[in-house]
Amino acid sequence: MTVPDRSSTTTREEPPGPPARDRAVDPERRPAAGRRPRLGRQALAGWLFVAPFAVLLVVFLLLPMAYAFKLSLYRSTLVEGEVFAYVDNYRQALGDPEFRRGVWRVILFGLVQTPVMIGLALLAALLIDEATSRFSRLFRLAAFVPYAVPVVIGTLMWGFLYSPNTGPLSGLTDLNFLSGETVLFSLGNIVTWQWAGYNMIVLYAALQGVPREIYESARIDGAGAVQVALRIKTPMISAAIVLVTIFTIIGTLQFFTEPLILQPLNPGAITNSYTPNVYAYHQAFSYQQHNYSAAISFLLGAVVFVGSYIFLFATRRRSALR
């Protein structure tokens, strides 16, 4: 009987590892057959929630913008119809003195009106935040009411007040609020009355997020109400101030409704090219120059983008916005 030599056989030793029971697949982690992972369901649910907004964004913003940009690249002629003009419409708009005067007018308007409105909104927000009486809610509501009034109705109301013939302000002073020298300030008053309350609410909401312990510590150190407002409250809501200022700059450069509504009261002072938006409106609907109007609109959008970016770049170190 031959005994096999065990020394000649090679034994394979398995590398050390966890016990077999530890290497077993956890049944709770094992995906069931025919069932999708939960991550896919969550992603699908997220897309379903976003879908209505995405559809509205594409249908009412992106597609009209694409069509308007296409219009800006063409020119309508009597003989050949729509002809591809490349950038001729943009070149014509850049050399148009009426368009350039309108752009400089809204820039000047913004340089004066924006600091005034943001300053008033910040002052009102600080005063209401400091007030602890039961009338503070009434003050907030009174400051916010002008924003709730539609812009057209508010402009018509102020147009009646400014009217040199029937307005009540005409009997108090000989100043013509709609003359060429004063109409820009009158428009600034309307915009400030309309939007200061909205900006005040935004700044007041930002103040409510500041911990009250910081104010108490400053008062213990001997800081007064004015010092707390200027050195603590205002710097801590700098991001909100920058945000409302950006909104104001964008709205100022797109100035349209107020001058268009007041134009019939004094067409000599508020011309068809008073602001770039008014100029684009009249080019499209008064002179049927839809291609040129589209080019003006896109150039105005470029001005708005550049102005907003310059302001953000100049204030990025002083606020939390990047």
Side-chain angles (χ1 to χ4, degrees):
M1 181 177 182
T2 305
V3 179
D5 189 4
R6 296 177 178 264
S7 61
S8 60
T9 60
T10 304
T11 60
R12 295 182 180 179
E13 297 182 358
E14 295 183 358
R21 65 176 182 272
D22 294 336
R23 287 180 291 176
V25 179
D26 191 354
E28 296 182 357
R29 296 182 180 179
R30 182 188 305 167
R35 185 173 63 182
R36 296 181 179 179
R38 291 183 178 181
L39 182 61
R41 291 185 176 182
Q42 293 178 355
L44 179 61
W47 280 110
L48 289 177
F49 279 109
V50 174
F53 172 77
V55 171
L56 294 176
L57 178 68
V58 172
V59 174
F60 293 101
L61 181 63
L62 298 183
L63 289 180
M65 286 183 62
Y67 179 71
F69 182 71
K70 177 185 175 182
L71 283 180
S72 67
L73 299 178
Y74 285 81
R75 177 170 295 177
S76 180
T77 61
L78 295 176
V79 179
E80 300 179 357
E82 293 287 336
V83 179
F84 184 72
Y86 195 52
V87 293
D88 290 347
N89 292 323
Y90 293 94
R91 189 181 297 111
Q92 178 183 352
L94 290 175
D96 191 344
E98 297 291 334
F99 173 72
R100 288 184 296 182
R101 276 195 292 266
V103 172
W104 285 115
R105 186 177 290 112
V106 294
I107 291 177
L108 176 63
F109 177 79
L111 290 176
V112 176
Q113 190 265 341
T114 300
V116 172
M117 182 169 65
I118 299 302
L120 291 176
L122 178 60
L123 177 62
L126 292 173
L127 291 176
I128 295 176
D129 182 69
E130 188 67 23
T132 57
S133 64
R134 58 182 179 180
F135 297 104
S136 59
R137 294 184 180 180
L138 180 61
F139 295 153
R140 293 199 303 267
L141 179 61
F144 189 73
V145 162
Y147 174 72
V149 178
V151 178
V152 175
I153 296 177
T155 306
L156 289 174
M157 180 191 70
W158 279 102
F160 168 73
L161 296 175
Y162 288 150
S163 176
N165 299 323
T166 60
L169 296 179
S170 61
L172 301 177
T173 178
D174 296 332
L175 182 64
N176 185 2
F177 293 95
L178 297 178
S179 64
E181 293 78 14
T182 59
V183 66
L184 195 61
F185 297 97
S186 300
L187 291 171
N189 176 60
I190 298 175
V191 174
T192 303
W193 174 85
Q194 187 85 37
W195 292 94
Y198 171 81
N199 294 326
M200 181 271 296
I201 291 296
V202 174
L203 297 178
Y204 177 75
L207 286 172
Q208 296 304 300
V210 179
R212 297 294 169 177
E213 293 80 5
I214 300 178
Y215 305 156
E216 296 175 1
S217 301
R219 293 188 180 97
I220 292 175
D221 292 339
V226 177
Q227 292 177 330
V228 171
L230 296 179
R231 298 185 179 182
I232 297 179
K233 293 184 177 181
T234 302
M236 294 197 71
I237 62 170
S238 59
I241 296 175
V242 171
L243 182 65
V244 296
T245 305
I246 286 294
F247 290 161
T248 304
I249 292 175
I250 295 174
T252 300
L253 294 176
Q254 295 178 348
F255 202 26
F256 174 71
T257 305
E258 292 84 353
L260 186 67
I261 297 298
L262 294 182
Q263 187 178 18
L265 298 178
N266 193 351
I270 305 177
T271 61
N272 290 343
S273 59
Y274 194 75
T275 67
N277 262 341
V278 172
Y279 189 43
Y281 170 81
H282 283 289
Q283 288 294 324
F285 299 103
S286 298
Y287 308 114
Q288 305 303 317
Q289 298 292 331
H290 300 93
N291 306 100
Y292 187 49
S293 174
I296 292 175
S297 301
F298 273 93
L299 283 179
L300 177 61
V303 173
V304 172
F305 175 80
V306 171
S308 302
Y309 180 81
I310 290 175
F311 180 79
L312 282 176
F313 182 80
T315 59
R316 70 187 190 281
R317 294 182 179 179
R318 299 181 180 180
S319 66
L321 296 178
R322 294 292 184 266

